[in-house]
Amino acid sequence: MTLISAGDPPVDKATPPPGRTPAADDYSTLKVVPVRHPWRWAAVVVTAVLLVQFAHGLFTNPGWEWDVFARFFTAETILKAVWVTLQLTFYGTALGFALGIVLAFMRLSASPFLKSVAFAYIWAFRSIPLIVQLLFWFNLAYLYKELQFGIPFGPGFFTFDTMGLVGAMSAAVLGLALHQAAYAAEIVRGGVLAVDSGQLEAAAALGIPRLRQLRRIVLPQAMRSILPNAANEIISLFKGTSIVSVMAIGELFYQVQVVYGRNGRVVPLLMVATVWYILLTTALSVVQYYVERHYAKGAAR
Amino acid sequence: MSAMVEVRSVHKSFGSLEVLRGIDLEVRTGEVTVILGPSGSGKSTLLRTINHLEKVDNGWISVDGTLVGYRRSGDKLYELREREVLKQRTQIGFVFQNFNLFPHLTVLENVTEAPVAALGRSKKDAFAAAEKLLDRVGLADKATAYPKQLSGGQQQRVAIARALALEPKLLLFDEPTSALDPELVGEVLDVIKDLALQGTTMIVVTHEIGFAREVADTVVFMDEGRIVEQGAPADVLDAPQHERTRAFLSKVL
């Protein structure tokens, strides 16, 4: 079989069409010249100079007092304070998210009463500044001298002295957790809403029990959108614990203030706190990466 | 033969929109019923009422002699608790238009989830049964894959295996091939045909007229929430009695 039928005029491949050179037809042999970006290079140079200047200052400016920094960075009082900060973060997160999950499902429930209560809680605790709230909890004993455990409006079984029960530390944890719960509730609710409704329908059609639907089908998928926001919240709570210093609790920022109040070395001690905050935030980010990877199973991106 | 599904004067409204306006339907054991009709005719809603994904406003439905979603005591019908409804649903397999596979679980986990969670089967038994089912739908080699790694046709075949894993008395298909690329429709229809040949009782909502002609024992044509006509495929598809059936068929054939 031939592509050229007998009736077609013969084609002479050796003769190029008039007005064109053979080189112009074959671009593949030509050298490619990339676009130049002179202004980009100028910006790189300016930025690099500024960075080097800053780094140079870190080493040559005696005001940083790196020897003082080194002395206090791993001092016992500071390490203890770091531990208090971590405890505040842990309890604030754990209790905050536990209550937040309950609130989220209250808001997602079919009961108008439960919905409204959860809505009101979130509204209230997002409206009150954390520091105001913390001072309220700190002064709880002023409002309620004793706390009683018993039948509502009936006889009580156990009575606690408020001062003894709600010390500074528990007031701080309470405040952080209640504050965190309002934000956690919205994050969890957002995550659950992001799961395709067809997933619940399929689970219901297969007769999978309700709790198992949530635990096995909905929550693992909701975690995909919950995690980035939750990590944000945990990190911001971790740094936010510094606000507790107003209650004279020996967490990192308070302890640093105490030390520079005594020795006057403000900058190096602020750096001690700064570097600890950076290190631990980095650790949390690494944890976030691995947890997110776990919940990305089966996802395309 | 006895009736597997009985639908009696079923009404259903969404707000002011009446989607089902008095449906009566009987499906006999071992038979395949295909429901045809224009979109918005209520065919998907009817299918969803049969496993109580939608509650009926009026009328009743029974599957294998048991009321769906209600329990009779004296002269009252008591609404079943969710737990009891879920138990009823394990007898009725449902295949969705958009597959609705669980994306975070492997193919094997998708198929074994319900037998383990709803029927209390041991994982070992469920896995062995699932492997047989996957073999039956031609996906034995995909057991450890995640749904996103499969084509639409493969995903729908997994969804069919997932529904079969509960060994249901009845299978409901809601437009099982409507979300598929044209070249993938055949592989899914082949699996459904195979089930029909083995005597599975099925109700299939579809737009595939050729499938209806070949597989259905009964073709039901619905329009505006009513059954316009029903009968053997040869009667309904080739000699329709109603103008609306003729108009619909002339558009899709």
Side-chain angles (χ1 to χ4, degrees), chain A residues 89-236:
Chain A
T89 310
F90 175 79
Y91 291 122
T93 303
L95 296 174
F97 271 83
L99 180 57
I101 290 170
V102 173
L103 286 165
F105 282 104
M106 280 170 76
R107 269 202 87 174
L108 290 166
S109 81
S111 154
F113 180 74
L114 294 180
K115 260 188 202 174
S116 321
V117 170
F119 177 83
Y121 178 95
I122 292 163
W123 165 76
F125 279 85
R126 284 200 309 197
S127 309
I128 307 168
L130 179 55
I131 191 162
V132 175
Q133 216 209 106
L134 284 170
L135 291 172
F136 257 115
W137 291 116
F138 197 52
N139 294 296
L140 190 65
Y142 172 79
L143 273 176
Y144 302 98
K145 294 246 176 318
E146 350 186 271
L147 296 176
Q148 204 176 54
F149 188 78
I151 296 164
F153 304 107
F157 304 133
F158 307 103
T159 305
F160 303 99
D161 178 32
T162 305
M163 269 299 217
L165 189 71
V166 188
M169 186 68 183
S170 33
V173 167
L174 199 60
L176 290 173
L178 293 177
H179 174 82
Q180 199 53 50
Y183 291 90
E186 290 294 88
I187 290 171
V188 172
R189 187 171 71 97
V192 171
L193 288 178
V195 177
D196 178 22
S197 62
Q199 291 291 309
L200 267 183
E201 220 167 49
L206 287 166
I208 297 169
R210 183 83 180 146
L211 263 180
R212 174 124 179 168
Q213 289 181 22
L214 290 179
R215 196 169 50 77
R216 176 97 164 140
I217 308 298
V218 176
L219 278 181
Q221 294 186 63
M223 284 305 270
R224 292 264 292 144
S225 40
I226 288 174
L227 276 173
N229 295 320
N232 259 354
E233 280 301 311
I234 295 168
I235 286 170
S236 98

Side-chain angles (χ1 to χ4, degrees), chain A residues 56-72:
Chain A
H56 181 251
L58 279 181
F59 290 107
T60 56
N61 188 335
W64 291 107
E65 297 184 271
W66 292 113
D67 54 324
V68 180
F69 170 88
R71 190 146 29 92
F72 281 100

Side-chain angles (χ1 to χ4, degrees), chain A residues 204-266:
Chain A
L206 287 166
I208 297 169
R210 183 83 180 146
L211 263 180
R212 174 124 179 168
Q213 289 181 22
L214 290 179
R215 196 169 50 77
R216 176 97 164 140
I217 308 298
V218 176
L219 278 181
Q221 294 186 63
M223 284 305 270
R224 292 264 292 144
S225 40
I226 288 174
L227 276 173
N229 295 320
N232 259 354
E233 280 301 311
I234 295 168
I235 286 170
S236 98
L237 175 67
F238 167 64
K239 289 177 298 174
T241 52
S242 55
I243 216 171
V244 167
S245 60
V246 296
M247 295 159 83
I249 290 169
E251 50 74 49
L252 183 55
F253 184 56
Y254 179 81
Q255 209 54 51
V256 160
Q257 284 178 302
V258 168
V259 175
Y260 72 59
R262 252 188 278 126
N263 68 9
R265 303 281 199 263
V266 177

Side-chain angles (χ1 to χ4, degrees), chain B residues 112 115-116 120-132 165 167:
Chain B
T112 54
V116 171
R121 298 264 164 83
S122 75
K123 276 196 173 167
K124 204 178 139 223
D125 292 352
F127 272 60
E131 271 162 2
K132 273 190 202 138
E167 296 165 19

